[in-house]
Amino acid sequence: MTMADGLFACIGVGALGAAVLPRLVAGRPLSLPLVFLVGGIAVYLLPLPLPEVDPVDDRLLTEHITEIGVLIALMGAGLALNRPVGRRRWGTTWRLLGVTMPLTVVVTALVAWWLLDWPPAAALLLAAVLAPTDPVLASEVRVGEPTEDEDDEDEVRFALTSEAGLNDGLAFPLTYAAVALAAAAGSGWSTDWVGTWVVEDVAFKCVVGVLGGLLAGRLLGWLFFRPRSPELRLSEHREGFVALGATFLSYGLTEVVGGYGFLAVFTTACTIRAAERAHGFHNILHDFVEQIERLFTATVLFLLGAFIALGGLAALTWQGAVTALAVLLVIRPLSGWAGLLGSRLGNRERWVVAGYGIRGIGSLYYLAYGLGQHDFPVPERELWAVVTFTVLVSVVLHGVTAGPVVSRLDRLRTDSSPQQESA
């Protein structure tokens, strides 16, 4: 058997598994990402002629694979959200982005600086890399298919899905700050970069990202639903693959003019939903994107498992492991709780939203991207080991517990509803 034969066999098994496993693990303390992560570890521990998997040496390939995975997930999240964007309707989301995310980043950077004894630039890069959340890795905590009812989503699933859709883009300014800090440290700790960073990397690129998404979404929404000619009205053809066209068009054009493409893709998806919110074409687009997303998630998690089996955690120190556990078990939950104080969520819902800030493919992308922008005064394999361990623990912990926790929350919510109605 050649290396190519083994690779084709793995791809075939993986594609079939991605179709079958979601139904087998439904309702169980298990998840599709966890199965493929463990599968990658198990397969690469066997004496088979399989290709090496090393994101450190293959940084650019890793960056592009994870980039596509994030883009598809963003489009899927935006298409699935039924609730129109608004200050009050998305109040929980704004709290998670405006309070929880900055708190998580600051405390994570301080812990990395103190416990790992990393320079500030490397500590900030780790905090930025671990800022994005990813409910794709635990389907129980994200919203389901699009429906006509704007109030069909419970607050927990809505909050975690909408947060992930936006913080994937908002991690870019933080990553650029780490890059600029690393460059400044090499030239005598100049603070000249701060003004440029605020104007260009925060204000300009975020605004262009949102505006690019709105423009692309309006144009595509019109093209999908408004042309008088049935030949031009894409919703008449019911072809789900146009969602990929929308994703890459929005991303590419926004990046060309200097904005954040991740923000643009999520904004585009939300704008397309708003163009004709109750149309069944949204389900076709969403179903197609979800299938592609499932394949990419399975592939990336399998490769991550392969990297672990081949020694990806060899550079992990006990300080790095403690930092990862602190992010998942202490920093994110407490920051989430603080950000949601005063929200309309009850205590149980607040703890679930705070605790399920899942780390996943977005973290892998930002690490590969950041390391391609500048050299950091920390061994790359140590950075990869800490981030890989964080994603590993998150996939295991959240993948196993999400089903039972959210199911119990749903039962308690259902049981309390008749009592509220009778009262």
Side-chain angles (χ1 to χ4, degrees), residues 101 104-105 126-133 163 167-168 170-171 174 332 358-359 363:
M101 186 177 179
T104 302
V105 169
L126 179 67
V129 162
L130 295 179
T133 56
E163 177 199 14
N167 67 16
D168 269 321
L170 295 177
L174 301 169
R332 160 66 192 210
I358 304 167
R359 270 53 187 177
S363 295

Side-chain angles (χ1 to χ4, degrees), residues 17-64:
V20 175
L21 284 172
R23 296 163 182 82
L24 293 178
V25 302
R28 294 180 172 86
L30 199 59
S31 68
L32 175 72
L34 177 57
V35 171
F36 276 94
L37 180 64
V38 174
I41 296 173
V43 169
Y44 267 79
L45 288 176
L46 298 174
L48 299 174
L50 296 171
E52 293 287 320
V53 177
D54 190 344
V56 181
D57 291 340
D58 300 321
R59 185 203 62 79
L60 192 59
L61 178 61
T62 302
E63 177 186 332
H64 290 316

Side-chain angles (χ1 to χ4, degrees), residues 4 51 63 123 128 180 215 243 273 285 315 338 344 349 382 388 413 417:
E63 177 186 332
L215 181 62
R273 275 306 310 272
L285 297 174
R344 57 183 178 181
E349 289 84 358
E382 188 175 351
T388 299
R413 189 185 299 114
S417 296

Side-chain angles (χ1 to χ4, degrees), residues 18-235:
V20 175
L21 284 172
R23 296 163 182 82
L24 293 178
V25 302
R28 294 180 172 86
L30 199 59
S31 68
L32 175 72
L34 177 57
V35 171
F36 276 94
L37 180 64
V38 174
I41 296 173
V43 169
Y44 267 79
L45 288 176
L46 298 174
L48 299 174
L50 296 171
E52 293 287 320
V53 177
D54 190 344
V56 181
D57 291 340
D58 300 321
R59 185 203 62 79
L60 192 59
L61 178 61
T62 302
E63 177 186 332
H64 290 316
I65 291 176
T66 53
E67 180 181 28
I68 295 173
V70 173
L71 287 173
I72 293 170
L74 290 174
M75 178 57 68
L79 290 173
L81 292 170
N82 300 319
R83 194 179 305 183
V85 178
R87 184 179 64 85
R88 299 188 67 179
R89 283 175 172 268
W90 284 46
T92 307
T93 309
W94 308 137
R95 288 171 177 271
L96 290 170
L97 296 173
V99 179
T100 298
M101 186 177 179
L103 270 178
T104 302
V105 169
V106 170
V107 178
T108 301
L110 289 174
V111 169
W113 172 68
W114 170 71
L115 185 59
L116 292 169
D117 197 26
W118 285 1
L124 180 56
L125 177 66
L126 179 67
V129 162
L130 295 179
T133 56
D134 189 354
V136 170
L137 300 187
S139 58
E140 291 83 0
V141 296
R142 62 171 176 167
V143 298
E145 295 184 348
T147 67
E148 299 181 11
D149 187 357
E150 296 179 359
D151 300 316
D152 191 39
E153 300 150 341
D154 69 88
E155 195 66 23
V156 170
R157 291 181 175 89
F158 170 80
L160 290 169
T161 304
S162 57
E163 177 199 14
L166 287 168
N167 67 16
D168 269 321
L170 295 177
F172 260 116
L174 301 169
T175 304
Y176 282 127
V179 171
L181 189 58
S187 60
W189 290 103
S190 170
T191 58
D192 295 340
W193 62 273
V194 175
T196 303
W197 173 74
V198 170
V199 173
E200 293 185 5
D201 296 328
V202 178
F204 175 76
K205 291 185 177 182
C206 285
V207 170
V208 172
V210 173
L211 291 179
L214 287 171
L215 181 62
R218 293 270 180 93
L219 175 63
L220 291 166
W222 177 87
L223 189 60
F224 288 173
F225 306 110
R226 298 288 184 265
R228 294 182 179 180
S229 170
E231 287 77 14
L232 294 177
R233 197 182 314 127
L234 293 180
S235 60

Side-chain angles (χ1 to χ4, degrees), residues 197-387:
W197 173 74
V198 170
V199 173
E200 293 185 5
D201 296 328
V202 178
F204 175 76
K205 291 185 177 182
C206 285
V207 170
V208 172
V210 173
L211 291 179
L214 287 171
L215 181 62
R218 293 270 180 93
L219 175 63
L220 291 166
W222 177 87
L223 189 60
F224 288 173
F225 306 110
R226 298 288 184 265
R228 294 182 179 180
S229 170
E231 287 77 14
L232 294 177
R233 197 182 314 127
L234 293 180
S235 60
E236 295 291 327
H237 307 300
R238 307 180 70 81
E239 294 172 331
F241 68 83
V242 300
L244 290 183
T247 302
F248 296 136
L249 177 67
S250 172
Y251 181 71
L253 291 180
T254 304
E255 288 286 329
V256 165
V257 297
Y260 290 133
F262 283 3
L263 278 178
V265 169
F266 183 72
T267 305
T268 295
C270 293
T271 307
I272 290 173
R273 275 306 310 272
E276 190 74 34
R277 192 166 296 278
H279 200 287
F281 188 51
H282 293 301
N283 294 85
I284 295 173
L285 297 174
H286 176 267
D287 290 346
F288 181 85
V289 170
E290 186 179 36
Q291 291 173 8
I292 303 299
E293 176 188 276
R294 200 185 305 163
L295 286 172
F296 261 92
T297 300
T299 300
V300 172
L301 269 295
F302 181 87
L303 294 175
L304 185 67
F307 175 58
I308 293 171
L310 294 172
L313 298 180
L316 183 68
T317 63
W318 71 265
Q319 294 95 333
V322 170
T323 301
L325 293 173
V327 170
L328 298 174
L329 301 178
V330 181
I331 298 173
R332 160 66 192 210
L334 293 182
S335 298
W337 177 265
L340 296 173
L341 284 173
S343 70
R344 57 183 178 181
L345 288 170
N347 285 338
R348 295 190 189 93
E349 289 84 358
R350 191 181 306 166
W351 275 119
V352 172
V353 173
Y356 280 85
I358 304 167
R359 270 53 187 177
I361 296 175
S363 295
L364 303 177
Y365 166 76
Y366 275 108
L367 181 57
Y369 180 85
L371 291 176
Q373 300 301 304
H374 199 278
D375 292 329
F376 286 82
V378 169
E380 290 187 7
R381 293 197 177 275
E382 188 175 351
L383 268 165
W384 271 105
V386 175
V387 174

